[in-house]
Amino acid sequence: MQVISDILPLRAIRREWQLAGKVIAFVPTMGNLHQGHLQLVEQARKAADIVVVSIFVNPMQFGANEDLESYPRTLEQDCTALEALGVDVVFTPKASDIYPRGLEQQTFVEVPGISYMICGASRPGHFRGVATIVCKLFNMVQPNHAFFGEKDFQQLQVIKAMVSDLSMNLQVHGVATARDKDGLALSSRNGYLSAEQRQIAPNLYRVMMEIADHIELGRRDFSKLIQGYTEELNSLGFKTDYIDIRCADTLLPPGHEDSNLVILMAAFLGKTRLIDNVSVSLQSE
């Protein structure tokens, strides 16, 4: 496994792969890898001859007062785990190379509409930062396939829209959310939780599944469902950012004809912001 930090040697080895007719899969990450990330790598390994994983904590997607400086950086452990899975290249660019003119002067990519709702409303500019860095990494690695976790459901939809709108020549794959035994979605930010908060955190998944059960049984008073479960989460110690029920295909509010829905949730436990989602498929009457 090679660890490459500069774009020129990455492009040189990319040309070698291209000349050899290799299929390339790519997994972009911010490091501090957990089993969810490794699951993406395992899927990438099945799809391609070559697997590239990037590790870059992207400052453009962090808002004011968010955890950019404290975000865990564990490069040595990450590389050990990736080498064990047969990754070919770990790409570890520096912020000064990714944004040589600084963030304020950086050309950006923005997916309109879908970037401004739900998480985008709570974190203005976040999905601009995500789309920009993913676009840049796609241009650098030039993969045939890219893999993302479905835990970040809205992010996945933003990236799929960007790839389609900009006619990028690659296939984007979503991989099911990896969870702990108690249902909590795996996340690098789970490490911020205190022992007490970690005991409370699985209630986010429990509540989400209860909402899904209600919908599958025919409940359509979504606003009442959301209000009731928001109050329940807050009573348990969460500070609920949002609970939303959307059309899974468009992320717009669902209409009567929509049968593929997604429940999206975000809530704070202390300073830690947790997100999760679950899809609900309705049987046609």
Side-chain angles (χ1 to χ4, degrees), residues 77-140:
Q77 298 95 303
D78 294 345
C79 286
T80 298
L82 294 173
E83 187 167 24
L85 289 179
V87 168
D88 297 278
V89 168
V90 178
F91 182 45
T92 60
K94 298 182 289 292
S96 57
D97 292 331
I98 294 290
Y99 303 120
R101 296 194 298 142
L103 295 181
E104 296 301 320
Q105 299 298 316
Q106 171 65 41
T107 299
F108 61 82
V109 178
E110 190 160 52
V111 180
I114 194 173
S115 294
Y116 310 145
M117 60 180 70
I118 319 171
C119 257
S122 299
R123 304 178 69 189
H126 170 69
F127 289 117
R128 172 191 290 184
V130 169
T132 300
I133 187 58
V134 172
C135 181
K136 286 178 69 73
L137 290 169
F138 283 172
N139 286 336
M140 294 173 181

Side-chain angles (χ1 to χ4, degrees), residues 182 184 190 193 196-206 233 238 269 274:
D182 56 11
L184 181 64
N190 291 352
L193 298 171
E196 181 182 359
Q197 290 168 342
R198 180 60 186 80
Q199 294 300 309
I200 298 169
N203 283 289
L204 197 68
Y205 180 65
R206 175 186 62 79
L233 284 176
F238 291 89
L269 266 180
L274 304 175

Side-chain angles (χ1 to χ4, degrees), residues 107-218:
T107 299
F108 61 82
V109 178
E110 190 160 52
V111 180
I114 194 173
S115 294
Y116 310 145
M117 60 180 70
I118 319 171
C119 257
S122 299
R123 304 178 69 189
H126 170 69
F127 289 117
R128 172 191 290 184
V130 169
T132 300
I133 187 58
V134 172
C135 181
K136 286 178 69 73
L137 290 169
F138 283 172
N139 286 336
M140 294 173 181
V141 177
Q142 297 179 31
N144 305 104
H145 302 272
F147 290 80
F148 296 85
E150 291 180 352
K151 180 180 77 71
D152 298 287
F153 190 88
Q154 187 175 3
Q155 171 180 281
L156 177 60
Q157 305 312 309
V158 167
I159 291 167
K160 285 182 175 179
M162 177 189 73
V163 166
S164 175
D165 290 351
L166 298 183
S167 305
M168 294 181 174
N169 187 26
L170 76 155
Q171 186 172 353
V172 175
H173 304 265
V175 178
T177 302
R179 299 185 181 278
D180 216 327
K181 292 180 180 179
D182 56 11
L184 181 64
L186 299 186
S187 169
S188 297
R189 289 186 169 91
N190 291 352
Y192 297 155
L193 298 171
S194 68
E196 181 182 359
Q197 290 168 342
R198 180 60 186 80
Q199 294 300 309
I200 298 169
N203 283 289
L204 197 68
Y205 180 65
R206 175 186 62 79
V207 161
M208 190 170 58
M209 296 306 292
E210 288 184 12
I211 294 173
D213 288 342
H214 282 298
I215 294 172
E216 288 174 348
L217 289 172

Side-chain angles (χ1 to χ4, degrees), residues 24 51 54 60 63 78 83 88 102 145 184 208 232 256 272:
I24 301 164
V51 176
S54 65
M60 187 182 275
D78 294 345
E83 187 167 24
D88 297 278
H145 302 272
L184 181 64
M208 190 170 58
E232 179 176 340
H256 293 297
T272 306

